[in-house]
Amino acid sequence: MNRRRQQHPDVVITGLGTVSPAGPDTATAWKAACAGLPTAAPDARLDGMAVDFSCAVSAFDAHAVLGTDARRMDPFTQYAVAAAREAVADAAADGGHWDPARVGVLIGTAVGGLETWLEQSARLRNTGPRAVNPLTVPKAIGNMAAATVALDLGLNGPTLAVATACASGTTALGFALDLLRAGRCDVVLAGGTDAAITPLLSGAFDRLKALSRRSDEPSSASRPFDRHRDGFVLAEGAAVLVLERAADARARGRRPYATLLGYGESTDAHHLTSPDPDGKGARLAMRSALADAGVAASDVALVNAHATGTPLGDAIEARLIHGFFGSHTAVTSTKGVTGHMLGAGGAAEAVFTALSVEQGVVPPTANLDEPGADIADIDIVHGAPRSAPVPVAVSSSFGFGGHNAVVVLGRA
């Protein structure tokens, strides 16, 4: 254990909340992830598009969960509030344990309230300015998921929106770790959310040649590391984790899921959308995360990879994993089940990784029939879940703009 790690109090994960294509709550999503059940299906919102399928949140009734307040929220906020409520309830916090002024909220998003912006743009164009909803701005701006979670739960600590594209959820966890280590908060709710399955975003990603076009068999379209991968599947949802110092969790009798051991981040400074082909920035983030956690690469039993199913990105990441961990560390990508949840993806994968650490179960990589010839020799779990101790695990996220974020989790 390095000197930097010893200077900080342990930070643990005590609550999990998830709204995802794999289910409206964490238990349902975890069961689907462990079963390797893909969720991609035709999506009526995308009728007429070149890519007309997605991994949608289908079992979520906003009005049943949030009541009439749902009308004041874009879906990206609805998902975040629901996930935060589940996480707080799971942490067994009734409000009496926490000083609201000492509880922070960090919710990342890649896109924000896109559905609201598009809906109100159509009203303006078709009917005129008086048809625009007066709540358009507070529904759509990117900070509103974090702000509404704080409002909903009566929290007065630092409330921040994190925007590092598809690394946003993981970046939020790293910033939360900093707040707790620095003593600026006693508890932080951290995660990510996005609800951007729209013709505009589908068309835009397709023009970038980023999406799978497997429309004839969408359930098999999200294929991380697979030989026949041809792009990612657009998804939506939210995940929120409750973080607090281990001593505080023990004092109130809460057994954590896992310890958030460390965090690393970097920027490629290479290209607007393409990762550095040598993985230089990602290696820097991984090295930084392991050093911050005070663990060696040989200590890591699991990597929950970013792997989205793109030909270039998966190959670069496989080389990165092999370079650090060889072929003896288990690797999975839960995006085979959930698709790519954008800014929520890293947070959802951190939820799954925490459960792997707690339960000693690694979910399989769905739709992986045969690794691509360009995929380095790594131990990708597929076909069935694997039962094995997971004392230390890594979860990685990479985003447009060259953002790289890595968290290291360990047993509590």
Side-chain angles (χ1 to χ4, degrees):
M1 184 175 292
N2 67 18
R3 225 174 264 173
R4 184 179 176 189
R5 172 91 178 96
Q6 289 175 329
Q7 293 173 349
H8 297 299
D10 284 343
V11 170
V12 295
I13 298 166
T14 56
L16 304 174
T18 314
V19 176
S20 81
D25 55 66
T26 300
T28 305
W30 176 240
K31 183 177 180 181
C34 288
L37 297 175
T39 59
D43 191 327
R45 293 172 293 183
L46 303 178
D47 281 351
M49 301 298 298
V51 177
D52 58 0
F53 60 92
S54 74
C55 291
V57 170
S58 59
F60 178 76
D61 185 335
H63 291 281
V65 175
L66 304 172
T68 57
D69 287 344
R71 296 176 301 175
R72 298 173 177 268
M73 305 176 196
D74 183 272
F76 94 111
T77 298
Q78 294 173 358
Y79 296 159
V81 171
R85 286 183 181 180
E86 183 193 0
V88 169
D90 184 43
D94 60 9
H97 298 294
W98 297 341
D99 175 359
R102 300 281 300 167
V103 182
V105 180
L106 278 73
I107 306 293
T109 182
V111 182
L114 180 61
E115 183 175 305
T116 294
W117 288 126
L118 292 174
E119 179 186 84
Q120 298 307 313
S121 293
R123 286 192 181 192
L124 175 64
R125 182 173 59 253
N126 296 331
T127 309
R130 294 187 64 81
V132 173
N133 189 325
L135 293 176
T136 296
V137 172
K139 284 180 70 174
I141 53 178
N143 72 303
M144 202 48 68
T148 306
V149 166
L151 177 65
D152 183 69
L153 297 173
L155 305 176
N156 306 117
T159 298
L160 305 171
V162 179
T164 53
C166 299
S168 296
T170 303
T171 304
L173 292 171
F175 285 9
L177 182 62
D178 288 344
L179 286 174
L180 289 161
R181 285 175 169 177
R184 295 186 58 194
C185 292
D186 295 331
V187 180
V188 181
L189 278 59
T193 185
D194 264 312
I197 299 176
T198 62
L200 175 63
L201 203 67
S202 177
F205 274 129
D206 185 54
R207 290 284 290 162
L208 283 171
K209 302 187 184 304
L211 297 185
S212 171
R213 283 202 166 196
R214 200 180 292 269
S215 295
D216 57 332
E217 196 177 359
S219 65
S220 66
S222 185
R223 309 181 68 85
F225 297 123
D226 188 75
R227 172 184 184 187
H228 298 295
R229 68 191 189 278
D230 67 332
F232 70 79
V233 178
L234 190 60
E236 61 188 353
V240 174
L241 298 85
V242 174
L243 307 177
E244 57 186 303
R245 284 180 288 273
D248 295 338
R250 283 195 300 270
R252 64 184 188 85
R254 179 64 171 98
R255 184 176 181 275
Y257 289 98
T259 302
L260 182 52
L261 295 173
Y263 170 72
E265 61 184 320
S266 70
T267 307
D268 284 354
H270 168 73
H271 188 270
L272 283 175
T273 58
S274 294
D276 185 316
D278 296 324
K280 180 175 67 176
R283 283 200 309 275
L284 179 61
M286 183 71 74
R287 191 178 300 117
S288 177
L290 294 174
D292 187 42
V295 301
S298 58
D299 296 327
V300 175
L302 169 65
V303 176
N304 193 324
H306 178 69
T308 64
T310 61
L312 179 63
D314 285 16
I316 293 172
E317 188 174 9
R319 291 197 297 272
L320 167 76
I321 293 169
H322 185 269
F324 272 93
F325 309 108
S327 57
H328 305 295
T329 296
V331 178
T332 190
S333 172
T334 44
K335 288 187 178 74
V337 170
T338 66
H340 192 357
M341 295 166 62
L342 305 180
E349 286 146 28
V351 167
F352 294 143
T353 305
L355 290 167
S356 287
V357 169
E358 184 207 29
Q359 298 182 19
V361 176
V362 179
T365 303
N367 293 320
L368 177 59
D369 296 329
E370 180 185 352
D374 56 349
I375 298 300
D377 181 20
I378 55 177
D379 180 18
I380 307 172
V381 178
H382 64 286
R386 180 182 298 176
S387 295
V390 184
V392 179
V394 163
S395 183
S396 305
S397 297
F398 311 120
F400 280 3
H403 299 286
N404 307 297
V406 179
V407 288
V408 182
L409 277 62
R411 283 183 185 151

